[in-house]
Amino acid sequence: MSKTSAGFANILLGINTSRRATVLLHVAFWAALYCLYFYQSRWFTGDEHPRSTVLIALSKWGVIAGAFYATMYVLHRAYSPLLKLLLVATAWCLTIVSYDLVSYYLYNYINDTVPKLPTYFHNIVKGISVKGPWTFLYDRNAFYLHFLQLNIGLFIPVIIKLGRWAARSRIKAIALEKDNLKLELEFLRAQINPHFLFNTLNSVYSLIEDKDKTAAFIIVSLSDMMRYALYDAATTEVDVAKELAFIQNYIEIQQIRHRRRLEVELEIAPDLGPQRIPPLLLINFVENAVKHGVDKLRHDAWVRIRAYRDELGTFCFAVANARPVQAGADVREGIGTRNTRRRLDLLYPGAYSLQTSHTATQFDILLRLWPPHNG
């Protein structure tokens, strides 16, 4: 497949990364829909009344475009499924009412002010005005006419959007399955018998326990970390306390490694409460703080880590670290953070935020996971 055809396919599926292409696609679609309504309206009003044709086409086009983007706004928000359903239903009911009222007043205005309109147009106005502005609520034929006209335009973009969402979800699922198979293969290649590993670590600990307390402490911490990585990380979710204990062991080993050069502050809120997260989700941020900050500083290296809940009950995990001044202003997102962000997109769509910021001497990252909605 050529780059051009692949790029066009990505645009149609909604997985392109070009905002310009997305905007052009939307403009092209709404221009085509306006042309459809223009030619339909000209059939109502005839060839001799272009101003009336444009007014009718614009009224239909504007109401439908507004309803579409209002629907998409609701669907993209981190609301519960029930709330989304109620909001979308409300938006569509308001759209029907708006469309009917706009049609009533506009059609009657044209009928009263424009001479020599086709007989068919007069019949339409009479049909939608038998009982005043709210005829569509009492007359089945009037309601059906408006409902059909509205949904010819509204269903097309909504169905296209939902189809693109389904295609993107399938592509993401295939990519995730592929990554999982790759990770599983790599794990099998690198796997050694866990019992042999832990028995060996215990043997080493017994040999050095009385001779080197620091080395013995490292062995215990390393054993705890590997036990978590081998056993707990095989599950879908773990309690955040286990992940934080893993991070604490990692920090203790790094402090021993860097001796007095590294200062670490780990603050875990006492009211953190239960929180289930995917295993090994948070450690990436701490590893990056050490790798890109501490390892490149000779003096005054520091890392501050906080796990807490904000006033809305949102779980927050913040990491700040010193960074060398000569690193410059350009801070690019590493592959570890990109993979974590992708993992969050798949596991918490619309229910998390991951913010990064930096100054000349400091880098900050903040992860927020929204509390689950009831209902």
Side-chain angles (χ1 to χ4, degrees):
M1 183 182 289
S2 66
K3 290 184 177 180
T4 302
S5 58
F8 183 70
N10 289 341
I11 291 174
L12 292 180
L13 292 174
I15 58 176
N16 61 293
T17 56
S18 172
R19 183 172 180 82
R20 181 182 179 185
T22 301
V23 171
L24 289 176
L25 183 65
H26 279 243
V27 170
F29 173 81
W30 291 112
L33 189 63
Y34 172 78
C35 290
L36 172 66
Y37 277 132
F38 178 84
Y39 286 109
Q40 185 189 56
S41 301
R42 191 169 67 177
W43 182 67
F44 288 162
T45 60
D47 297 334
E48 300 177 358
H49 308 287
R51 180 173 175 270
S52 300
T53 301
V54 170
L55 286 175
I56 294 174
L58 281 176
S59 68
K60 295 180 179 181
W61 181 85
V63 171
I64 288 171
F68 171 77
Y69 285 111
T71 301
M72 292 304 107
Y73 175 81
V74 170
L75 293 178
H76 279 92
R77 304 297 292 177
Y79 300 142
S80 67
L82 178 59
L83 182 57
K84 284 185 178 181
L85 179 62
L86 291 175
L87 289 175
V88 169
T90 301
W92 282 36
C93 288
L94 291 175
T95 300
I96 293 174
V97 173
S98 300
Y99 182 86
D100 291 333
L101 293 178
V102 168
S103 297
Y104 170 82
Y105 287 108
L106 180 60
Y107 277 52
N108 275 277
Y109 169 77
I110 293 173
N111 187 58
D112 295 338
T113 58
V114 179
K116 298 181 180 180
L117 287 164
T119 303
Y120 183 75
F121 187 85
H122 293 297
N123 292 334
I124 291 177
V125 174
K126 183 178 179 180
I128 66 174
S129 307
V130 175
K131 299 179 181 180
W134 302 99
T135 298
F136 69 95
L137 293 179
Y138 306 102
D139 189 283
R140 182 181 303 176
N141 292 329
F143 181 84
Y144 176 76
L145 174 65
H146 288 314
F147 188 80
L148 182 63
Q149 288 290 310
L150 176 65
N151 289 305
I152 284 175
L154 186 56
F155 278 167
I156 292 174
V158 170
I159 289 173
I160 291 175
K161 192 70 173 181
L162 293 177
R164 294 173 77 197
W165 272 353
R168 287 203 302 269
S169 298
R170 181 57 183 162
I171 291 172
K172 286 182 178 180
I174 293 173
L176 182 60
E177 183 179 354
K178 182 179 178 181
D179 289 345
N180 287 338
L181 290 174
K182 183 179 178 181
L183 289 172
E184 184 178 354
L185 179 60
E186 291 176 353
F187 176 75
L188 290 174
R189 287 174 177 171
Q191 189 180 37
I192 60 175
N193 190 300
H195 295 292
F196 169 78
L197 174 65
F198 291 125
N199 288 337
T200 303
L201 288 174
N202 288 335
S203 299
V204 173
Y205 176 80
S206 300
L207 290 173
I208 65 175
E209 180 181 11
D210 296 329
K211 299 177 182 179
D212 192 331
K213 297 293 184 182
T214 300
F217 175 79
I218 292 176
I219 293 295
V220 172
S221 297
L222 182 61
S223 178
D224 291 338
M225 291 177 66
M226 297 190 73
R227 185 173 288 104
Y228 175 78
L230 284 171
Y231 296 122
D232 291 313
T235 60
T236 305
E237 288 184 325
V238 298
D239 191 88
V240 72
K242 290 187 176 182
E243 181 88 354
L244 295 174
F246 178 78
I247 290 174
Q248 189 164 8
N249 284 329
Y250 173 81
I251 290 172
E252 289 170 348
I253 292 176
Q254 291 297 329
Q255 284 182 306
I256 293 173
R257 172 191 169 200
H258 292 284
R259 298 178 184 267
R260 298 178 180 177
R261 191 169 66 88
L262 172 62
E263 177 186 348
V264 179
E265 294 181 13
L266 176 60
E267 180 183 341
I268 301 174
D271 57 346
L272 193 60
Q275 175 74 40
R276 305 286 292 177
I277 63 169
L280 302 176
L281 178 70
L282 307 179
I283 186 62
N284 172 69
F285 306 129
V286 182
E287 285 182 322
N288 283 344
V290 174
K291 178 180 178 181
H292 300 295
V294 176
D295 287 349
K296 296 181 180 180
L297 286 168
R298 292 186 177 182
H299 305 285
D300 299 325
W302 55 265
V303 177
R304 299 191 186 102
I305 304 166
R306 292 183 62 210
Y308 61 97
R309 290 191 183 276
D310 64 13
E311 62 278 2
L312 299 177
T314 304
F315 172 76
C316 303
F317 185 76
V319 180
N321 64 272
R323 61 185 293 260
V325 178
Q326 62 269 25
D330 185 20
V331 178
R332 297 182 180 180
E333 197 170 83
I335 186 171
T337 303
R338 287 200 302 271
N339 288 341
T340 302
R341 190 183 294 277
R342 183 181 171 203
R343 190 180 180 192
L344 288 165
D345 286 335
L346 295 172
L347 296 172
Y348 301 96
Y352 85 95
S353 70
L354 183 59
Q355 302 170 332
T356 60
S357 61
H358 67 276
T359 64
T361 59
Q362 180 174 331
F363 184 86
D364 295 89
I365 191 163
L366 173 62
L367 170 67
R368 304 173 74 237
L369 299 178
W370 316 141
H373 292 282
N374 295 322

